[in-house]
Amino acid sequence: MAKNNEQIHIGCHLSSAGGFEKMGREALSIGADTFAFFTRNPRGGSAKEIDPADAKALRDIVTQNGFAKLVAHAPYTLNPCSATKKVRDFAHIAMADDMKRMEYLPGNYYNFHPGSHTGQGIEKGIELISELLNDIITADQTTTILFETMAGKGSEVGGRFEELAEIIGRVKLREKVGVCMDTCHVSDAGHDIINDLDGVLDEFDKIIGLDKLKALHINDSLNPAGSKKDRHARIGEGHIGKDAILNVVYDPRLIGLPCILETPHDSLEGYKKEIAMIRSGR
Ligand code: FE
Ligand code: FE
Ligand code: ZN
């Protein structure tokens, strides 16, 4: 099948330690035209002061180079449905602050892991997550908040499409939320994207609506479908395999969405090669 790679938008996670403009330049240096970055320390939660001039420099790079939307990532420690009140309070404070910070880069995406209910049950988890969203989303924010499809390990919420649909259904400002599909996570959660991508997308469409699918995390998986593990592999070095990954990226219903690689590489060079491979379509 001839692949139309002109519509492909792809990048990886970049370190925000050196500021916004640096990420923009790094993206260009590896052939990326979108990228992800943590809005604050991914395993802690502290955030650096934003320099407006630095944000403007990145906005210029993005427009001048035709980037797709950026996909910022909330810290892993952000859990709106923990049984511990302190953890839930941090989720509120951090996400509300992140929404303000994201306005330095208006109109982009902010992806987060819906959370882990830590024993309270899925229903309670969904309730707490929806509460957080209704508390912090404002009508004038330009950021769309994305829920990541999860592998369903432990007490994770978001391993089933129904759970994400339920959260979306409870959000009042529904136009401000969407979904980011992670290929490793959906496969680990038991969706057969290898042999039946069409079926998985049909199901997504029926339960959530494909209009809500805004971004993709592109990862191979160290584990077979249904393992509920969530361990990423480089493209072609896992159980999903390169062909199935390319089928996702080039699917007529998905093509054009920002694709973020979260594969394990120790240098940008590794991502540069993976991006080139995906752009070449083989
Ligand atoms: Fe993630
Ligand atoms: Fe992911
Ligand atoms: Zn993952």
Side-chain angles (χ1 to χ4, degrees):
M1 185 176 76
K3 300 213 187 269
N4 177 8
N5 61 14
E6 267 149 49
Q7 293 175 60
I8 299 295
H9 296 293
I10 187 160
C12 61
H13 272 265
L14 296 172
S15 164
S16 58
F20 286 135
E21 182 180 8
K22 181 155 182 268
M23 290 192 285
R25 303 218 172 279
E26 272 175 0
L28 291 173
S29 78
I30 57 173
D33 61 354
T34 178
F35 62 88
F37 62 98
F38 284 101
T39 49
R40 52 186 67 233
N41 181 341
R43 305 206 177 267
S46 56
K48 276 198 334 193
E49 192 79 44
I50 289 177
D51 169 7
D54 183 39
K56 163 85 166 69
L58 174 57
R59 293 199 305 272
D60 288 346
I61 291 174
V62 161
T63 33
Q64 283 158 17
N65 295 280
F67 277 31
K69 286 185 191 292
L70 309 179
V71 191
H73 200 301
Y76 295 127
T77 44
L78 193 152
N79 182 9
C81 58
S82 166
T84 310
K85 182 159 188 306
K86 240 175 100 174
V87 176
R88 293 199 305 272
D89 288 347
F90 168 75
H92 275 71
I93 293 163
M95 202 187 272
D97 186 48
D98 279 350
M99 284 308 105
K100 288 190 196 130
R101 297 161 61 83
M102 287 295 292
E103 292 301 325
Y104 284 93
L105 305 169
N108 288 296
Y109 295 143
Y110 175 84
N111 169 79
F112 83 111
H113 297 182
S116 292
H117 62 68
T118 62
Q120 306 175 91
I122 289 280
E123 196 37 51
K124 183 72 185 169
I126 289 171
E127 186 187 312
L128 289 167
I129 296 162
S130 326
E131 261 175 43
L132 164 92
L133 293 162
N134 284 325
D135 280 354
I136 65 112
I137 296 176
T138 60
D140 54 352
Q141 74 177 50
T142 64
T143 303
T144 305
I145 299 179
L146 306 183
F147 319 131
E148 184 164 349
T149 60
M150 300 309 292
K153 68 175 186 310
S155 67
E156 251 171 23
V157 180
R160 293 170 60 246
F161 294 158
E162 286 85 351
E163 294 164 17
L164 297 177
E166 182 70 34
I167 298 169
I168 293 171
R170 294 187 193 194
V171 174
K172 290 185 196 115
L173 294 166
R174 210 163 296 167
E175 69 279 10
K176 305 289 185 190
V177 298
V179 175
C180 172
M181 190 169 87
D182 184 309
T183 53
C184 167
H185 299 178
V186 281
S187 174
D188 282 18
H191 298 285
D192 189 0
I193 57 168
I194 303 169
N195 304 299
D196 188 20
L197 177 61
D198 258 329
V200 175
L201 295 181
D202 286 346
E203 197 196 344
F204 188 103
D205 195 32
K206 204 174 83 202
I207 298 170
I208 302 177
L210 276 172
D211 59 317
K212 279 288 173 209
L213 185 52
K214 307 293 188 191
L216 302 170
H217 282 175
I218 299 297
N219 306 304
D220 212 324
S221 175
L222 284 180
N223 295 287
S227 63
K228 300 206 162 46
K229 285 281 207 301
D230 187 5
R231 295 198 53 213
H232 301 188
R234 294 177 182 177
I235 307 309
E237 296 182 14
H239 283 264
I240 301 174
K242 195 164 92 175
D243 289 347
I245 292 283
L246 288 174
N247 285 341
V248 171
V249 174
Y250 285 87
D251 185 277
R253 290 193 272 180
L254 306 179
I255 197 160
L257 295 179
C259 296
I260 305 295
L261 292 161
E262 299 177 310
T263 45
H265 290 283
D266 23 359
S267 72
L268 285 177
E269 197 52 36
Y271 290 109
K272 186 177 181 176
K273 287 191 186 129
E274 223 166 33
I275 288 169
M277 176 185 92
I278 286 170
R279 285 199 192 282
S280 79
R282 59 194 156 78

PDB file of all heavy atoms in Angstrom, residues 8 30 33 43 47-48 90 93 112 122 129 134-136 138 160 168 193-194 202 209-210 219 221 249 251 268-269 272:
ATOM      1  N   ILE A   8       1.845  12.950   8.012  1.00  0.00           N
ATOM      2  CA  ILE A   8       2.357  12.425   9.276  1.00  0.00           C
ATOM      3  C   ILE A   8       2.955  13.543  10.130  1.00  0.00           C
ATOM      4  O   ILE A   8       3.761  14.338   9.659  1.00  0.00           O
ATOM      5  CB  ILE A   8       3.450  11.353   9.009  1.00  0.00           C
ATOM      6  CG1 ILE A   8       2.867  10.184   8.209  1.00  0.00           C
ATOM      7  CG2 ILE A   8       4.089  10.877  10.302  1.00  0.00           C
ATOM      8  CD1 ILE A   8       1.823   9.381   8.916  1.00  0.00           C
ATOM      9  N   ILE A  30      15.787  16.662  14.911  1.00  0.00           N
ATOM     10  CA  ILE A  30      15.536  15.219  14.756  1.00  0.00           C
ATOM     11  C   ILE A  30      14.400  14.942  13.764  1.00  0.00           C
ATOM     12  O   ILE A  30      13.887  13.830  13.698  1.00  0.00           O
ATOM     13  CB  ILE A  30      15.242  14.535  16.113  1.00  0.00           C
ATOM     14  CG1 ILE A  30      14.043  15.191  16.818  1.00  0.00           C
ATOM     15  CG2 ILE A  30      16.476  14.570  17.012  1.00  0.00           C
ATOM     16  CD1 ILE A  30      13.599  14.445  18.073  1.00  0.00           C
ATOM     17  N   ASP A  33       7.919  17.238  14.075  1.00  0.00           N
ATOM     18  CA  ASP A  33       7.069  18.416  13.894  1.00  0.00           C
ATOM     19  C   ASP A  33       5.917  18.420  14.897  1.00  0.00           C
ATOM     20  O   ASP A  33       4.844  18.976  14.653  1.00  0.00           O
ATOM     21  CB  ASP A  33       6.577  18.541  12.450  1.00  0.00           C
ATOM     22  CG  ASP A  33       5.750  17.357  12.012  1.00  0.00           C
ATOM     23  OD1 ASP A  33       5.639  16.374  12.788  1.00  0.00           O
ATOM     24  OD2 ASP A  33       5.214  17.396  10.894  1.00  0.00           O
ATOM     25  N   ARG A  43       8.223  13.160  38.328  1.00  0.00           N
ATOM     26  CA  ARG A  43       8.087  12.284  39.498  1.00  0.00           C
ATOM     27  C   ARG A  43       7.979  13.062  40.806  1.00  0.00           C
ATOM     28  O   ARG A  43       7.844  12.500  41.874  1.00  0.00           O
ATOM     29  CB  ARG A  43       9.232  11.278  39.563  1.00  0.00           C
ATOM     30  CG  ARG A  43       9.315  10.505  38.273  1.00  0.00           C
ATOM     31  CD  ARG A  43       9.939   9.136  38.406  1.00  0.00           C
ATOM     32  NE  ARG A  43       9.885   8.476  37.108  1.00  0.00           N
ATOM     33  CZ  ARG A  43       8.915   7.672  36.719  1.00  0.00           C
ATOM     34  NH1 ARG A  43       7.909   7.391  37.534  1.00  0.00           N
ATOM     35  NH2 ARG A  43       8.927   7.133  35.522  1.00  0.00           N
ATOM     36  N   ALA A  47       7.507  23.070  39.510  1.00  0.00           N
ATOM     37  CA  ALA A  47       7.519  23.647  38.166  1.00  0.00           C
ATOM     38  C   ALA A  47       8.398  24.879  38.138  1.00  0.00           C
ATOM     39  O   ALA A  47       8.454  25.637  39.105  1.00  0.00           O
ATOM     40  CB  ALA A  47       6.103  24.001  37.734  1.00  0.00           C
ATOM     41  N   LYS A  48       9.066  25.059  37.008  1.00  0.00           N
ATOM     42  CA  LYS A  48       9.941  26.234  36.849  1.00  0.00           C
ATOM     43  C   LYS A  48       9.114  27.446  36.420  1.00  0.00           C
ATOM     44  O   LYS A  48       8.107  27.308  35.737  1.00  0.00           O
ATOM     45  CB  LYS A  48      10.948  25.968  35.720  1.00  0.00           C
ATOM     46  CG  LYS A  48      12.176  25.217  36.128  1.00  0.00           C
ATOM     47  CD  LYS A  48      13.303  25.382  35.107  1.00  0.00           C
ATOM     48  CE  LYS A  48      12.822  25.680  33.710  1.00  0.00           C
ATOM     49  NZ  LYS A  48      13.762  25.580  32.655  1.00  0.00           N
ATOM     50  N   PHE A  90      -2.963  17.796  45.617  1.00  0.00           N
ATOM     51  CA  PHE A  90      -1.857  18.135  44.716  1.00  0.00           C
ATOM     52  C   PHE A  90      -2.345  18.100  43.267  1.00  0.00           C
ATOM     53  O   PHE A  90      -2.008  18.973  42.467  1.00  0.00           O
ATOM     54  CB  PHE A  90      -0.659  17.188  44.891  1.00  0.00           C
ATOM     55  CG  PHE A  90       0.355  17.329  43.781  1.00  0.00           C
ATOM     56  CD1 PHE A  90       1.204  18.432  43.729  1.00  0.00           C
ATOM     57  CD2 PHE A  90       0.420  16.392  42.745  1.00  0.00           C
ATOM     58  CE1 PHE A  90       2.113  18.590  42.682  1.00  0.00           C
ATOM     59  CE2 PHE A  90       1.321  16.549  41.696  1.00  0.00           C
ATOM     60  CZ  PHE A  90       2.169  17.650  41.663  1.00  0.00           C
ATOM     61  N   ILE A  93      -4.215  21.347  42.514  1.00  0.00           N
ATOM     62  CA  ILE A  93      -3.334  22.524  42.459  1.00  0.00           C
ATOM     63  C   ILE A  93      -2.461  22.464  41.214  1.00  0.00           C
ATOM     64  O   ILE A  93      -2.339  23.442  40.467  1.00  0.00           O
ATOM     65  CB  ILE A  93      -2.466  22.601  43.742  1.00  0.00           C
ATOM     66  CG1 ILE A  93      -3.364  22.884  44.949  1.00  0.00           C
ATOM     67  CG2 ILE A  93      -1.389  23.680  43.612  1.00  0.00           C
ATOM     68  CD1 ILE A  93      -2.705  22.584  46.285  1.00  0.00           C
ATOM     69  N   PHE A 112      -2.977  13.528  30.383  1.00  0.00           N
ATOM     70  CA  PHE A 112      -2.709  12.995  31.729  1.00  0.00           C
ATOM     71  C   PHE A 112      -3.260  11.586  31.903  1.00  0.00           C
ATOM     72  O   PHE A 112      -4.154  11.156  31.181  1.00  0.00           O
ATOM     73  CB  PHE A 112      -3.211  13.944  32.819  1.00  0.00           C
ATOM     74  CG  PHE A 112      -4.680  13.823  33.160  1.00  0.00           C
ATOM     75  CD1 PHE A 112      -5.074  13.311  34.383  1.00  0.00           C
ATOM     76  CD2 PHE A 112      -5.648  14.234  32.265  1.00  0.00           C
ATOM     77  CE1 PHE A 112      -6.422  13.206  34.718  1.00  0.00           C
ATOM     78  CE2 PHE A 112      -7.004  14.135  32.584  1.00  0.00           C
ATOM     79  CZ  PHE A 112      -7.383  13.620  33.814  1.00  0.00           C
ATOM     80  N   ILE A 122     -13.448   1.431  40.641  1.00  0.00           N
ATOM     81  CA  ILE A 122     -13.467   2.212  39.405  1.00  0.00           C
ATOM     82  C   ILE A 122     -14.512   3.331  39.462  1.00  0.00           C
ATOM     83  O   ILE A 122     -14.266   4.462  39.062  1.00  0.00           O
ATOM     84  CB  ILE A 122     -13.786   1.281  38.193  1.00  0.00           C
ATOM     85  CG1 ILE A 122     -12.582   0.361  37.894  1.00  0.00           C
ATOM     86  CG2 ILE A 122     -14.177   2.075  36.963  1.00  0.00           C
ATOM     87  CD1 ILE A 122     -11.463   1.001  37.098  1.00  0.00           C
ATOM     88  N   ILE A 129     -12.236  11.801  39.355  1.00  0.00           N
ATOM     89  CA  ILE A 129     -11.567  12.382  38.177  1.00  0.00           C
ATOM     90  C   ILE A 129     -12.479  13.438  37.539  1.00  0.00           C
ATOM     91  O   ILE A 129     -12.040  14.537  37.198  1.00  0.00           O
ATOM     92  CB  ILE A 129     -11.194  11.283  37.157  1.00  0.00           C
ATOM     93  CG1 ILE A 129     -10.159  10.320  37.747  1.00  0.00           C
ATOM     94  CG2 ILE A 129     -10.659  11.903  35.867  1.00  0.00           C
ATOM     95  CD1 ILE A 129     -10.052   8.985  37.019  1.00  0.00           C
ATOM     96  N   ASN A 134     -14.150  19.123  36.370  1.00  0.00           N
ATOM     97  CA  ASN A 134     -15.170  20.172  36.453  1.00  0.00           C
ATOM     98  C   ASN A 134     -14.719  21.326  37.348  1.00  0.00           C
ATOM     99  O   ASN A 134     -15.139  22.461  37.163  1.00  0.00           O
ATOM    100  CB  ASN A 134     -16.498  19.585  36.929  1.00  0.00           C
ATOM    101  CG  ASN A 134     -17.188  18.829  35.801  1.00  0.00           C
ATOM    102  OD1 ASN A 134     -17.097  19.214  34.623  1.00  0.00           O
ATOM    103  ND2 ASN A 134     -17.851  17.730  36.137  1.00  0.00           N
ATOM    104  N   ASP A 135     -13.834  21.049  38.308  1.00  0.00           N
ATOM    105  CA  ASP A 135     -13.287  22.112  39.158  1.00  0.00           C
ATOM    106  C   ASP A 135     -12.315  23.002  38.403  1.00  0.00           C
ATOM    107  O   ASP A 135     -12.299  24.213  38.602  1.00  0.00           O
ATOM    108  CB  ASP A 135     -12.523  21.510  40.352  1.00  0.00           C
ATOM    109  CG  ASP A 135     -13.455  21.063  41.454  1.00  0.00           C
ATOM    110  OD1 ASP A 135     -14.670  21.325  41.349  1.00  0.00           O
ATOM    111  OD2 ASP A 135     -12.972  20.429  42.410  1.00  0.00           O
ATOM    112  N   ILE A 136     -11.460  22.410  37.588  1.00  0.00           N
ATOM    113  CA  ILE A 136     -10.358  23.224  37.051  1.00  0.00           C
ATOM    114  C   ILE A 136     -10.561  23.708  35.605  1.00  0.00           C
ATOM    115  O   ILE A 136      -9.939  24.685  35.213  1.00  0.00           O
ATOM    116  CB  ILE A 136      -8.992  22.504  37.187  1.00  0.00           C
ATOM    117  CG1 ILE A 136      -8.949  21.233  36.330  1.00  0.00           C
ATOM    118  CG2 ILE A 136      -8.651  22.161  38.630  1.00  0.00           C
ATOM    119  CD1 ILE A 136      -7.982  21.412  35.220  1.00  0.00           C
ATOM    120  N   THR A 138     -11.815  25.761  32.611  1.00  0.00           N
ATOM    121  CA  THR A 138     -12.526  27.033  32.470  1.00  0.00           C
ATOM    122  C   THR A 138     -12.950  27.219  31.012  1.00  0.00           C
ATOM    123  O   THR A 138     -12.319  26.683  30.100  1.00  0.00           O
ATOM    124  CB  THR A 138     -11.633  28.227  32.863  1.00  0.00           C
ATOM    125  OG1 THR A 138     -10.485  28.235  31.998  1.00  0.00           O
ATOM    126  CG2 THR A 138     -11.184  28.129  34.310  1.00  0.00           C
ATOM    127  N   ARG A 160     -10.285   0.658  30.071  1.00  0.00           N
ATOM    128  CA  ARG A 160     -11.400   0.312  29.177  1.00  0.00           C
ATOM    129  C   ARG A 160     -11.962   1.597  28.577  1.00  0.00           C
ATOM    130  O   ARG A 160     -12.068   2.615  29.260  1.00  0.00           O
ATOM    131  CB  ARG A 160     -12.480  -0.451  29.950  1.00  0.00           C
ATOM    132  CG  ARG A 160     -11.995  -1.825  30.411  1.00  0.00           C
ATOM    133  CD  ARG A 160     -12.961  -2.490  31.386  1.00  0.00           C
ATOM    134  NE  ARG A 160     -14.277  -2.689  30.814  1.00  0.00           N
ATOM    135  CZ  ARG A 160     -15.388  -2.080  31.227  1.00  0.00           C
ATOM    136  NH1 ARG A 160     -15.325  -1.225  32.238  1.00  0.00           N
ATOM    137  NH2 ARG A 160     -16.534  -2.307  30.636  1.00  0.00           N
ATOM    138  N   ILE A 168     -15.781  11.458  30.248  1.00  0.00           N
ATOM    139  CA  ILE A 168     -16.128  12.520  29.291  1.00  0.00           C
ATOM    140  C   ILE A 168     -17.592  12.920  29.463  1.00  0.00           C
ATOM    141  O   ILE A 168     -17.938  14.098  29.467  1.00  0.00           O
ATOM    142  CB  ILE A 168     -15.852  12.064  27.839  1.00  0.00           C
ATOM    143  CG1 ILE A 168     -14.346  11.893  27.627  1.00  0.00           C
ATOM    144  CG2 ILE A 168     -16.425  13.072  26.831  1.00  0.00           C
ATOM    145  CD1 ILE A 168     -13.966  11.247  26.312  1.00  0.00           C
ATOM    146  N   ILE A 193      -4.888  -4.542  18.352  1.00  0.00           N
ATOM    147  CA  ILE A 193      -4.541  -3.612  17.269  1.00  0.00           C
ATOM    148  C   ILE A 193      -3.643  -4.271  16.225  1.00  0.00           C
ATOM    149  O   ILE A 193      -3.405  -3.710  15.161  1.00  0.00           O
ATOM    150  CB  ILE A 193      -3.877  -2.309  17.797  1.00  0.00           C
ATOM    151  CG1 ILE A 193      -2.634  -2.627  18.618  1.00  0.00           C
ATOM    152  CG2 ILE A 193      -4.853  -1.480  18.614  1.00  0.00           C
ATOM    153  CD1 ILE A 193      -1.782  -1.392  18.929  1.00  0.00           C
ATOM    154  N   ILE A 194      -3.137  -5.468  16.529  1.00  0.00           N
ATOM    155  CA  ILE A 194      -2.264  -6.148  15.572  1.00  0.00           C
ATOM    156  C   ILE A 194      -3.095  -6.779  14.446  1.00  0.00           C
ATOM    157  O   ILE A 194      -2.826  -6.564  13.271  1.00  0.00           O
ATOM    158  CB  ILE A 194      -1.420  -7.239  16.274  1.00  0.00           C
ATOM    159  CG1 ILE A 194      -0.599  -6.608  17.405  1.00  0.00           C
ATOM    160  CG2 ILE A 194      -0.515  -7.963  15.268  1.00  0.00           C
ATOM    161  CD1 ILE A 194       0.063  -7.614  18.327  1.00  0.00           C
ATOM    162  N   ASP A 202     -13.456   0.850  15.456  1.00  0.00           N
ATOM    163  CA  ASP A 202     -14.931   0.833  15.446  1.00  0.00           C
ATOM    164  C   ASP A 202     -15.470   0.888  16.869  1.00  0.00           C
ATOM    165  O   ASP A 202     -16.414   1.613  17.170  1.00  0.00           O
ATOM    166  CB  ASP A 202     -15.462  -0.438  14.765  1.00  0.00           C
ATOM    167  CG  ASP A 202     -15.297  -0.387  13.253  1.00  0.00           C
ATOM    168  OD1 ASP A 202     -15.023   0.716  12.714  1.00  0.00           O
ATOM    169  OD2 ASP A 202     -15.431  -1.452  12.608  1.00  0.00           O
ATOM    170  N   GLY A 209     -16.286   7.813  20.539  1.00  0.00           N
ATOM    171  CA  GLY A 209     -16.433   8.707  19.373  1.00  0.00           C
ATOM    172  C   GLY A 209     -15.050   9.078  18.865  1.00  0.00           C
ATOM    173  O   GLY A 209     -14.257   9.660  19.596  1.00  0.00           O
ATOM    174  N   LEU A 210     -14.757   8.756  17.605  1.00  0.00           N
ATOM    175  CA  LEU A 210     -13.420   9.031  17.064  1.00  0.00           C
ATOM    176  C   LEU A 210     -13.125  10.527  16.988  1.00  0.00           C
ATOM    177  O   LEU A 210     -11.966  10.929  16.937  1.00  0.00           O
ATOM    178  CB  LEU A 210     -13.250   8.379  15.690  1.00  0.00           C
ATOM    179  CG  LEU A 210     -12.835   6.897  15.717  1.00  0.00           C
ATOM    180  CD1 LEU A 210     -12.890   6.285  14.327  1.00  0.00           C
ATOM    181  CD2 LEU A 210     -11.443   6.720  16.326  1.00  0.00           C
ATOM    182  N   ASN A 219       4.172   3.452  20.734  1.00  0.00           N
ATOM    183  CA  ASN A 219       5.134   2.610  21.440  1.00  0.00           C
ATOM    184  C   ASN A 219       4.898   1.162  21.097  1.00  0.00           C
ATOM    185  O   ASN A 219       3.754   0.742  20.960  1.00  0.00           O
ATOM    186  CB  ASN A 219       4.941   2.740  22.958  1.00  0.00           C
ATOM    187  CG  ASN A 219       4.998   4.180  23.436  1.00  0.00           C
ATOM    188  OD1 ASN A 219       5.980   4.863  23.193  1.00  0.00           O
ATOM    189  ND2 ASN A 219       3.940   4.631  24.090  1.00  0.00           N
ATOM    190  N   SER A 221       5.375  -2.788  22.588  1.00  0.00           N
ATOM    191  CA  SER A 221       5.191  -3.291  23.949  1.00  0.00           C
ATOM    192  C   SER A 221       6.084  -4.484  24.223  1.00  0.00           C
ATOM    193  O   SER A 221       6.175  -5.389  23.391  1.00  0.00           O
ATOM    194  CB  SER A 221       3.732  -3.693  24.164  1.00  0.00           C
ATOM    195  OG  SER A 221       3.582  -4.285  25.445  1.00  0.00           O
ATOM    196  N   VAL A 249      -0.297   4.430  12.561  1.00  0.00           N
ATOM    197  CA  VAL A 249       0.103   5.788  12.179  1.00  0.00           C
ATOM    198  C   VAL A 249      -0.518   6.201  10.839  1.00  0.00           C
ATOM    199  O   VAL A 249      -0.924   7.345  10.662  1.00  0.00           O
ATOM    200  CB  VAL A 249       1.646   5.881  12.115  1.00  0.00           C
ATOM    201  CG1 VAL A 249       2.093   7.233  11.586  1.00  0.00           C
ATOM    202  CG2 VAL A 249       2.255   5.623  13.493  1.00  0.00           C
ATOM    203  N   ASP A 251      -3.237   4.801   9.375  1.00  0.00           N
ATOM    204  CA  ASP A 251      -4.656   4.461   9.196  1.00  0.00           C
ATOM    205  C   ASP A 251      -5.413   5.696   8.710  1.00  0.00           C
ATOM    206  O   ASP A 251      -5.231   6.793   9.242  1.00  0.00           O
ATOM    207  CB  ASP A 251      -5.254   3.977  10.517  1.00  0.00           C
ATOM    208  CG  ASP A 251      -6.679   3.495  10.335  1.00  0.00           C
ATOM    209  OD1 ASP A 251      -7.609   4.336  10.336  1.00  0.00           O
ATOM    210  OD2 ASP A 251      -6.872   2.276  10.165  1.00  0.00           O
ATOM    211  N   LEU A 268      18.907  11.497  21.562  1.00  0.00           N
ATOM    212  CA  LEU A 268      17.996  12.001  20.531  1.00  0.00           C
ATOM    213  C   LEU A 268      18.229  11.292  19.203  1.00  0.00           C
ATOM    214  O   LEU A 268      17.319  11.181  18.377  1.00  0.00           O
ATOM    215  CB  LEU A 268      18.188  13.514  20.357  1.00  0.00           C
ATOM    216  CG  LEU A 268      17.593  14.389  21.450  1.00  0.00           C
ATOM    217  CD1 LEU A 268      17.917  15.850  21.181  1.00  0.00           C
ATOM    218  CD2 LEU A 268      16.077  14.189  21.529  1.00  0.00           C
ATOM    219  N   GLU A 269      19.443  10.820  18.988  1.00  0.00           N
ATOM    220  CA  GLU A 269      19.785  10.120  17.760  1.00  0.00           C
ATOM    221  C   GLU A 269      18.841   8.922  17.528  1.00  0.00           C
ATOM    222  O   GLU A 269      18.402   8.672  16.405  1.00  0.00           O
ATOM    223  CB  GLU A 269      21.250   9.658  17.851  1.00  0.00           C
ATOM    224  CG  GLU A 269      21.903   9.277  16.543  1.00  0.00           C
ATOM    225  CD  GLU A 269      21.789  10.318  15.439  1.00  0.00           C
ATOM    226  OE1 GLU A 269      21.840  11.531  15.743  1.00  0.00           O
ATOM    227  OE2 GLU A 269      21.623   9.909  14.272  1.00  0.00           O
ATOM    228  N   LYS A 272      15.611  10.220  16.325  1.00  0.00           N
ATOM    229  CA  LYS A 272      15.749  10.726  14.961  1.00  0.00           C
ATOM    230  C   LYS A 272      15.589   9.580  13.954  1.00  0.00           C
ATOM    231  O   LYS A 272      14.855   9.707  12.964  1.00  0.00           O
ATOM    232  CB  LYS A 272      17.127  11.387  14.813  1.00  0.00           C
ATOM    233  CG  LYS A 272      17.343  12.082  13.494  1.00  0.00           C
ATOM    234  CD  LYS A 272      18.707  12.763  13.456  1.00  0.00           C
ATOM    235  CE  LYS A 272      18.892  13.469  12.120  1.00  0.00           C
ATOM    236  NZ  LYS A 272      20.153  14.219  12.074  1.00  0.00           N
TER     237      LYS A 272
END
